[in-house]
Structure formats: structure tokens, C-alpha cells
Amino acid sequence: MLRTIRAFLWMRWRISRNAFKTRQRDSLEQISRALGALAPVFMLLMLVPTVLALAAGGVFLGWKMGQAETVMIWRSFGFLALRGGLAVATITVLIAPMVRSSRGTGSETTRLLLLPIRRGMLHASEVIAALSDPWLGVLFPALVMFPIGIAIGGSVLGGAVSLLGALLFVAILMLAVSLASFFIALIFRKRKRAERFTAVLIVVLSMSGLLFALVGDEWEEGLEKKRDAKRFGVDAAEQAAEDDPDLTLSQHVDQQLPFGVRFLPSEAFMRVVEAAVDGHVAQLGLNLLLLGTWTTLLYVSSRWAYWRLLETPETGGVEGNLGAGFRTRSLPGVRPAVAAVAFATMRLALRTVRGKTAVYLNFVITAMIYVILIRELSKVELPSGLSFGLGIGFAGGFFTLISLQPIMANVFAIDSNGFTLQLLSPLSTSEILHGKVVGSALLVAISTALCFGIGFVLDAKGSPVVWLAGFLILVAMFLVYAPMTLLLSAVFPKVADLSRMGKDGNPQPIAGFVAFIAVPLLLIPPALTAAATLMIAKSGLLTLAGALVWLGVAMAIYIVGMRALCVLFERRRENLLLVATGR
Amino acid sequence: MSLALQTRGLTRHFGDLTAVDAVDLAVPAGSFYGFLGPNGAGKSTTIKCLTGLLRPSEGEIRILDLDPLADPVGVKKMIGVLPEDLALFDRLTAAETLGFVGQIHGLSRETLEQRAEELLTLMELNRRKDSLVTDFSHGMKKKLALAVALLPAPKLLFLDEPFEGIDAVASRQIRNLLKSYVSRGGTIFLTSHILQIVETLCDQIGVIQHGRLIAQGSMEEMRRGTEDGRTLEQIFLELVGAEAEASAALDWLT
Ligand SMILES: Nc1ncnc2c1ncn2[C@@H]1O[C@H](COP(=O)(O)OP(=O)(O)OP(=O)(O)O)[C@@H](O)[C@H]1O
Ligand SMILES: [Mg+2]
């Protein structure tokens, strides 16, 4: 058992250490990898003060609450802070696996499965690894320091019992986050299922938005009423607290919440602390039992999910007929070889979860935002020539550029072995690069066309000249953005799997970040011109002229940029190949 | 005798390691060249240098009378490659993969469809031609990669371990196909660890060890000077010095 743990820790350490052994790679690649590795370290450094502050806050709160003669206000404040904080923490921790790469799924796990290690051990190590989750990592010290504070405050026994409660609560969070990530990994094991899951997620998101908008009025009224009730409730609670000093404020707030809430782990933990400080043995026992039950339940189910995960191979879930046959497609004005590369890039994107969300989600979200805001927007006076429909289309195009960043900012490495095929084919460098740009352009075009379409349907007002100008500004932005992202892809390639949510599918952090902030920056100059011409000169034609000027500038940048990129690509091709094929 | 492929002093370093060390290859046009060597000898690295995936550290290459470093696209139009990592897009179907390659090589639609159908039938992939490559087994991927290499009807084929992982039926069909390709004037440069197959197919042999070419010539030349009836395996083991044979009995392994 101990031997296994030692071997396990050693292996993890060696793997992370060897990641830096890139002596045989060119220096640019070494820098790229170092920067990629530094990004999380940087994040961690920023987290340290947070952790320290939270831990200190925990001690302080505990200390205040542990003192026998603590003033009412401190007790109330302490418990409220605890409850709110813990509830928020629980939710965040559960959402985290969605945006993080799934654990327990790598080829490393396959290797481990072949060795004589008990599955229970593997499961335990995966659960403990949940502590490396930043959210949990931040929370853990604060949770542990809090009971210590109580002990320092004078109530040693209370502190000890609270510590037990805190440890159980942390265990529950760890198990819950593991269960969630195993579950998501299980869903993503089958590509088809992953896609369906994502589609459902998108639909649910948009439906909830629509519902929100449709029932908005009633909802708002209801909220008002509730708010009144709450205010009344709190007043009553304060009143009652004054009447009955044995009850805390939070106990009264409690009475306003549904009964089921008290079964939540965070609430149970809070009650343990409360009972420990106050010496209510029955409440203490009951809530510790509740925490224990949660731990057991989550342990059993996360173990079940993990074992299922180990037994489920990663499959595409044999696809039906995709039916494209040998049909090759051509694009007007584009060389066949360039079109071939472009369509391969587009298909790759449209057949992965990340690509699908990037292309289709914008359209859904844009429409949703519009529907939600429609009542507020109708009060706004727009400069003549503009319309909300154009705004929707333009915003859609803008967000498309941002959301395509996992594809565009890593456009070579995401092909993995397909990249080798392109290098083996009789393609010139310029054909490969233009193929990539055209492929991205197709993706942007699909998404933007959907957004412009829905914008036009919802509100087709405004002058056609300005609509055209809006579209041209997007084209100009793309013409600068495309070579920029190619540059990032060439300098910072990273193995990425677009069928994964979270970091496994993301581009190299620096590339992703630069691509992300580039889009709003690229918007500034044409947007300023458009604003000036529309609001001051009040001329749609001038707006169009401004857009055309920017289009010209963008074209010049594109042509020069692509020339330079061809040279750069030639220098980087060997390294790109090694990264794409996973070396 | 004209040479389809010739190198002079071909060298490739990886950091301190010299994976390919001053190799002088001479592959006659219309020959079936077997490139042999132990694991890690530098066979795949050589193929990658010849096909333009890796830049040679030193040396000259001539492929079909062209310099691939000066005219890479021209050379790539005439060669077909089955590389070590197969080089397929995971998210294209088998049919789309062939369509991609056909379009880049400028095949007409009819030619493409006819050739692709024939190749897929031969590789027994026809029923799965609309499945994504990522759902294929390893052997199926290799057969598809081979089809990709053959589709543009190249004059020179580079095949890195084409028979490893292929079932017996397909292996036999592929062997027949390759034989008739050579008899019609094509040239094949092949690596394989299955020496029985190499022996029946190849007429030229090159042996590489630790990055150095330690023997090269026709099959007859290789056999010459040795007693009659020796198999290629015996010759190969002798050339690379079968050190492993004598050493380490591993007698703890029951
Ligand atoms: N990208 C790389 N970086 C560093 N070293 C490499 C790289 N590729 C190959 N090598 C090294 O070059 C040497 C030759 O490798 P190569 O793949 O050419 O061998 P091979 O003859 O094809 O072997 P096998 O029969 O196992 O396929 C090996 O020592 C290998 O470790
Ligand atoms: Mg090899």
C-alpha cells in the first residue's frame, strides 16, 4: 500500500519534471513551453494571498466565535458569512470540472490499470488529486483554520468537533468534485454522447434565457414580492432575535428558507459548528451523522463512476453514414488544393465539441441576449442608419472571432497526424497557410451569417449602406486577425484535443490570451471611425467609406503578413510537426 | 542503371544524438528496395528526411532527378508515402481522406472515384468508407494510409513498416499489389521487420545500424560470398552482430 503510494507520487513528480526536458527542441519551442507552464504558476502565486487572507479570516472568525462572551453580532455575522461562503464554494467546485480537463482518463491510467494496483487505490488517489483544484485548494486552509480559531478562542472541545466537521465537509467537496468530473468524463467517452450533451446544454442555456425573458414581467413582480417578504422576514428575525436572545440571527433567517436546505452539506457543517460552540449535543450528533451519510453516499457513487470510467474505452461511438462520399468541394476563386485544406480544417472543427460550440453557440447566445434585452433596448434611441438587427449581427461576428480562438490560435497542432499528411502532400507553404485562413473564414462565415440572419429577421431597419459597412468592418478585422492567429499558432503550438472541454482543448495560454484580447483591440479603430461618421457627421456613406479604408489597410496587412508568415512557417515546420504528432 | 533515389552523406542529428550518419543510398529505378535495421537504427528518420518531413542536418538528396530541398512540391507530386505515424486526419472519413488527397493532387472527379473505390475494395474498407478515421482499428488506419499513398499513382513509394499490424489476407493482397506495381516500373523503398516478406519481395537491400549504412546491394550481392541457402534473416543477424543471442539467458523467467 505505502509502496504503491510512493511509486505513484514519484511517477507524478517525474512526469511533471520531465515535461521541462526539452533540450532537443529549438529554443522558441522551449520558451513557448516554459511560458505555458508558467501561466498556472503565475495563477498560483496570485492565489497565495487569497489563501492566506481566507485562512486568517477563518482563524479570526473561529476565534471570535469560540469566545464564550462573544457579542451576538459576531456570532450572527460569522454564521452568515460561513453559510454564504460555503454555498457559493460548493456550487463553484461542482461547476469546475466542466471547464477543466477530465481526470482519470489519460493513457497513463491505462498503464496503471495493467499494474497490480487495487482500483480502490487509484480511485482514492484521483479523489485526493481534487485538492489540486484551485477552488478547493483555496478553501481547504480556511476551512481547517476556522476550527483552530475556535479552539484558540477558548472552546477547545468545540474546535475539535468543528475540525471533524470541516474535514468531513472537505471530503464531501472532494468526492463531489471527483464524481462530477468522472461523470463528465464518462459522458465525453463517447463522442456522439458528448456532442448530444453539449447540444442539450446549449438548448437548456438558451431556453432558460428565453423563459427568463418571456416570464420576465411576472418574474420581476414575483421578485419584488419576495423581496418585500424577505425584508419582512429579516425584520421579523431581528425582532425575534431581540425578543429571544438565545436564538441567533442566522437561525431566524433559516426559518425563511425551505426545509430541505438544511440537508445540504454546507448547512450541516454550519450546524455542526454552531452546535459545537453552543454545546447542543443532539444537534451536533444529528448533523455529524448527516455529513457522514453524505460522505459515504458520495464515496460509493464516485467509486462506481470511476470504475465505470476505467471499464469504458474511449470511442467515437461508431458513426452512422456521414455520407459525404468522395465528393470534393471547390470554392469559387480558390485553388483546389487550398480548398481541400480549408474544408479539412472546417470539418475538423465542425466535428468536435469545441468547434461546434464555437460556431453555433454565438448565434444562440446572441439571439438570447437580444430577446432578454428587447424591452430595455426599445427605449434606446439609435443614431440614424443603425439598427438593433445590425447590432446583433455585428456582435455575433465579433464574438465568433473570440470564440474560435481554440481553433484559430492553434490551427496547426489541432490537426495532429493530419498535419503530417499536409506536409507530405504537394502543397506549397502558402497553400497550407491560405487553406487554414480560408477554413477559418468558412467557420466565421457560418456563425456570422447565422447571426446576421437572425439580426435581419428581428430588426431589419437601418440603412443598407451601414449594414454593408458593419459587414466590411468584420471582414477587415478578420483579415488582420487571421494572420495574427497563424503567427500565434506557429510560435506557440500545443497538442490539443478539440473534443475535450477544458484545458486539454485549449490553445497554449499565451496564444489564447493574445488572441482573446486582440479582437476588441482590432475593433477600436474601425469602431471609432464608424461612431464619428454616424454620430457627428451623421452620414451612412461616410461610414461605408471609413469601413472601406480600414478594409484596404487590413488587406495590406494581410498580404504583407502572409508573406512573412510563409518564411516563419518554413522555419517552424519541423517543430510544428513534432508538436502536432505529440512529441 | 538510373537511380530513382540517391543520397550523399545524408545526416540528421537530434541534439547530441546522430540518428542518421552519412548515409549514401542508391535505389535503382524500378527496384523493390528493402531498408532493414534494428529498432532505433534510423530507418524512419531517414524516410522522414527523404520525404521532406525532417530537414537533413547535412547531405544531398536526389529523388527522381529532383532536389527535394529545392523543389519540394515537385517531388511530392511524384511520391507516395506511408509514414510511421500514418498521417491521417482523425475527423475525416476514409472517403473524405481520399478526396482530400485526390483534390490536392488535382485528380479529376471520375479518376478519383474510380481509384478510391478500387483501393477501398482492395483494403476491405469499402463498408466503412463513411466512418471517421478515429473509429478505425490500427490495421484499418494503416490500410487507409496505404491507400492514400497509392491514390495519386506515384512513381516512387516510401513505405514505413507497411505489413506490421495487417491481417494475413490483406497482407497477401497488398504484397501482390506492390509486386505488380514494381513490375510496371514503379519503385518502392520499404522498411519492415518481417524478413520473410522482405526476402520474397525485395531485390535490393540496405542495412542500417546506429545510423550508419552497413550494407547495400542487390539480394544476389548480399547472398554472394556466403554459403548457399542462407536466409535473409541469417544474413541480417550476422550483419548487425546478433549480440542479444548469446547474452542474458533470463533464467529467472519461468
Ligand atoms: N523527434 C525525435 N527527437 C529525438 N530523437 C529522435 C526523434 N526521432 C527519432 N529519434 C531518435 O532517432 C533514432 C532513430 O529513430 P528511428 O525512428 O529512425 O528508428 P527506426 O529505425 O525507425 O526504429 P524502429 O524500427 O523501431 O521503427 C532513435 O534513437 C530515436 O530515439
Ligand atoms: Mg521506425
Side-chain angles (χ1 to χ4, degrees):
Chain A
M1 172 96 164
L2 225 77
R3 234 177 326 128
T4 318
I5 294 178
R6 232 185 28 229
F8 215 84
L9 287 176
W10 185 80
M11 174 204 74
R12 295 243 172 236
W13 150 242
R14 292 304 287 194
I15 287 179
S16 48
R17 211 195 72 150
N18 288 350
F20 288 93
K21 279 196 167 176
T22 48
R23 246 177 347 103
Q24 292 174 347
R25 308 300 291 276
D26 63 8
S27 46
L28 198 51
E29 177 65 14
Q30 289 185 25
I31 292 170
S32 162
R33 286 191 187 199
L35 287 177
L38 274 181
V41 173
F42 192 66
M43 282 265 294
L44 221 67
L45 283 182
M46 303 227 296
L47 280 180
V48 168
T50 322
V51 171
L52 289 180
L54 273 177
V59 175
F60 181 71
L61 259 184
W63 172 65
K64 272 291 176 195
M65 290 170 72
Q67 285 168 330
E69 67 283 10
T70 301
V71 226
M72 205 65 217
I73 186 74
W74 272 111
R75 306 270 319 255
S76 309
F77 173 70
F79 281 118
L80 276 181
L82 201 58
R83 294 174 68 171
L86 292 185
V88 170
T90 315
I91 294 169
T92 350
V93 156
L94 284 179
I95 294 175
M98 299 278 298
V99 291
R100 217 181 29 170
S101 52
S102 40
R103 288 177 295 131
T105 54
S107 58
E108 198 183 284
T109 317
T110 322
R111 177 75 261 175
L112 290 175
L113 267 182
L114 295 174
L115 293 172
I117 303 176
R118 295 226 312 278
R119 284 179 179 196
M121 277 287 305
L122 287 179
H123 173 236
S125 80
E126 285 289 344
V127 171
I128 290 168
L131 272 184
S132 65
D133 186 294
W135 297 108
L136 260 181
V138 167
L139 208 59
F140 182 68
L143 275 173
V144 174
M145 291 314 275
F146 174 67
I148 292 175
I150 293 181
I152 295 174
S155 169
V156 176
L157 195 65
V161 180
S162 303
L163 185 62
L164 177 64
L167 290 180
L168 275 175
F169 182 62
V170 171
I172 287 173
L173 285 186
M174 276 160 61
L175 286 165
V177 77
S178 306
L179 176 63
S181 59
F182 297 154
F183 189 69
I184 286 179
L186 257 178
I187 288 176
F188 275 76
R189 281 268 132 145
K190 275 220 173 79
R191 196 183 52 248
K192 277 258 108 164
R193 198 162 53 190
E195 279 167 9
R196 256 180 242 140
F197 176 77
T198 317
V200 167
L201 207 70
I202 294 174
V203 170
V204 166
L205 263 179
S206 53
M207 287 313 276
S208 59
L210 283 177
L211 270 177
F212 183 84
L214 291 180
V215 298
D217 275 331
E218 289 142 57
W219 192 74
E220 238 163 60
E221 271 166 34
L223 200 67
E224 285 290 301
K225 270 187 209 144
K226 253 205 197 129
R227 241 180 248 146
D228 289 345
K230 267 260 172 64
R231 212 169 292 139
F232 175 72
V234 171
D235 286 346
E238 269 167 6
Q239 191 63 45
E242 272 167 31
D243 293 349
D244 183 357
D246 280 350
L247 291 181
T248 61
L249 174 67
S250 66
Q251 274 170 331
H252 286 287
V253 171
D254 223 35
Q255 285 161 4
Q256 310 296 324
L257 290 170
F259 185 74
V261 168
R262 66 189 58 196
F263 291 105
L264 294 179
S266 60
E267 291 288 297
F269 170 54
M270 190 274 303
R271 275 157 210 278
V272 165
V273 176
E274 208 172 26
V277 174
D278 294 344
H280 290 308
V281 179
Q283 196 197 345
L284 183 70
L286 264 173
N287 283 298
L288 276 180
L289 192 71
L290 187 56
L291 283 180
T293 315
W294 269 110
T295 315
T296 319
L297 269 179
L298 285 171
Y299 176 74
V300 171
S301 41
S302 83
R303 197 172 139 115
W304 173 83
Y306 186 65
W307 287 25
R308 277 302 303 269
L309 192 61
L310 294 184
E311 281 157 10
T312 323
E314 192 152 14
T315 69
V318 173
E319 195 91 19
N321 205 332
L322 278 171
F326 303 109
R327 208 151 18 101
T328 53
R329 291 186 194 193
S330 51
L331 284 168
V334 175
R335 267 186 276 172
V338 174
V341 174
F343 277 112
T345 306
M346 187 190 86
R347 286 186 175 130
L348 166 79
L350 290 183
R351 284 172 187 172
T352 50
V353 175
R354 293 296 285 266
K356 269 189 191 163
T357 41
V359 173
Y360 298 122
L361 197 58
N362 282 303
F363 147 71
V364 176
I365 289 183
T366 324
M368 197 177 92
I369 290 174
Y370 177 75
V371 176
I372 292 171
L373 293 183
I374 191 157
R375 268 171 307 123
E376 311 298 324
L377 288 180
S378 54
K379 295 168 201 153
V380 180
E381 193 78 38
L382 281 179
S384 73
L386 269 184
S387 74
F388 290 115
L390 173 57
I392 291 172
F394 193 85
F398 177 82
F399 288 118
T400 302
L401 289 186
I402 290 184
S403 59
L404 275 176
Q405 161 242 92
I407 295 157
M408 290 184 68
N410 197 15
V411 77
F412 304 117
I414 51 172
D415 284 342
S416 78
N417 286 337
F419 188 67
T420 321
L421 182 57
Q422 290 165 64
L423 291 192
L424 285 174
S425 302
L427 287 165
S428 67
T429 303
S430 125
E431 280 171 332
I432 294 180
L433 295 184
H434 280 100
K436 293 294 179 194
V437 172
V438 176
S440 306
L442 287 172
L443 293 169
V444 175
I446 296 175
S447 174
T448 309
L450 285 171
C451 295
F452 264 86
I454 194 151
F456 192 77
V457 169
L458 289 174
D459 180 10
K461 291 193 287 288
S463 97
V465 184
V466 179
W467 275 80
L468 181 62
F471 174 74
L472 290 181
I473 287 177
L474 279 177
V475 176
M477 283 171 71
F478 178 80
L479 282 179
V480 182
Y481 189 59
M484 246 193 72
T485 50
L486 278 183
L487 174 71
L488 292 172
S489 310
V491 176
F492 300 112
K494 181 195 147 228
V495 197
D497 181 354
L498 292 181
S499 59
R500 302 242 168 167
M501 308 282 273
K503 111 174 174 271
D504 285 355
N506 287 346
Q508 204 263 9
I510 309 276
F513 178 71
V514 174
F516 181 78
I517 55 165
V519 184
L521 289 182
L522 288 176
L523 177 63
I524 292 174
L528 285 180
T529 324
T533 48
L534 274 177
M535 310 230 272
I536 301 166
K538 295 199 191 312
S539 155
L541 276 176
L542 265 183
T543 314
L544 182 63
L548 280 171
V549 169
W550 285 119
L551 189 65
V553 173
M555 223 113 100
I557 295 179
Y558 178 80
I559 292 168
V560 176
M562 291 301 274
R563 289 253 168 83
L565 276 167
C566 283
V567 179
L568 178 73
F569 182 85
E570 271 313 308
R571 295 238 181 119
R572 299 288 293 160
R573 60 187 282 151
E574 206 168 279
N575 185 65
L576 286 174
L577 179 73
L578 288 173
V579 174
T581 53
R583 296 235 195 188
Chain B
M1 184 174 59
S2 72
L3 293 177
L5 163 68
Q6 187 178 18
T7 69
R8 205 167 307 136
L10 182 68
T11 303
R12 171 66 207 213
H13 307 288
F14 290 112
D16 313 330
L17 178 92
T18 306
V20 178
D21 194 356
V23 165
D24 297 331
L25 290 172
V27 180
S31 69
F32 205 135
Y33 190 101
F35 195 44
L36 311 178
N39 291 132
K43 301 181 295 296
S44 300
T45 307
T46 306
I47 290 196
K48 284 179 195 161
C49 288
L50 296 175
T51 54
L53 290 180
L54 291 177
R55 189 167 279 277
S57 308
E58 281 157 47
E60 287 165 31
I61 306 174
R62 280 200 89 71
I63 293 178
L64 303 167
D65 292 324
L66 288 176
D67 177 0
L69 296 176
D71 182 11
V73 176
V75 171
K76 284 174 192 170
K77 276 188 182 142
M78 297 190 292
I79 64 175
V81 188
L82 170 70
E84 180 184 40
D85 62 16
L86 304 185
L88 298 169
F89 283 101
D90 288 341
R91 309 272 160 181
L92 290 188
T93 66
E96 285 166 352
T97 306
L98 292 172
F100 173 81
V101 175
Q103 187 166 354
I104 288 178
H105 279 271
L107 300 186
S108 75
R109 176 116 166 237
E110 298 77 53
T111 321
L112 169 67
E113 275 183 18
Q114 185 214 335
R115 287 187 192 176
E117 282 289 351
E118 272 184 55
L119 281 168
L120 288 177
T121 312
L122 177 87
M123 304 293 175
E124 305 201 5
L125 289 174
N126 221 347
R127 267 186 330 115
R128 297 292 297 279
K129 71 171 195 280
D130 291 321
S131 298
L132 292 188
V133 168
T134 178
D135 293 340
F136 279 9
S137 76
H138 182 69
M140 289 162 75
K141 283 184 194 166
K142 188 163 262 184
K143 288 198 265 185
L144 178 61
L146 190 57
V148 164
L150 294 170
L151 183 79
K155 294 196 171 61
L156 172 59
L157 265 179
F158 291 93
L159 307 176
D160 200 347
E161 308 195 359
F163 301 109
E164 281 74 350
I166 297 283
D167 69 62
V169 182
S171 166
R172 191 195 173 93
Q173 270 162 348
I174 292 169
R175 268 180 282 156
N176 290 338
L177 169 85
L178 295 182
K179 260 191 256 175
S180 63
Y181 168 79
V182 171
S183 68
R184 272 180 258 141
T187 310
I188 296 182
F189 185 87
L190 155 143
T191 78
S192 178
H193 294 296
I194 312 177
L195 296 181
Q196 289 84 342
I197 294 184
V198 176
E199 191 160 26
T200 56
L201 287 180
C202 296
D203 47 42
Q204 296 280 324
I205 300 287
V207 180
I208 186 171
Q209 187 180 27
H210 303 313
R212 289 173 175 276
L213 194 67
I214 54 174
Q216 180 173 238
S218 69
M219 198 65 108
E220 292 82 58
E221 283 166 352
M222 302 295 270
R223 290 219 169 90
R224 202 173 299 150
T226 64
E227 52 206 270
D228 275 350
R230 283 173 42 107
T231 61
L232 182 61
E233 185 176 0
Q234 285 165 323
I235 297 171
F236 176 76
L237 289 178
E238 197 170 284
L239 274 170
V240 301
E243 294 142 18
E245 237 176 353
S247 65
L250 300 192
D251 39 21
W252 44 265
L253 198 62
T254 51

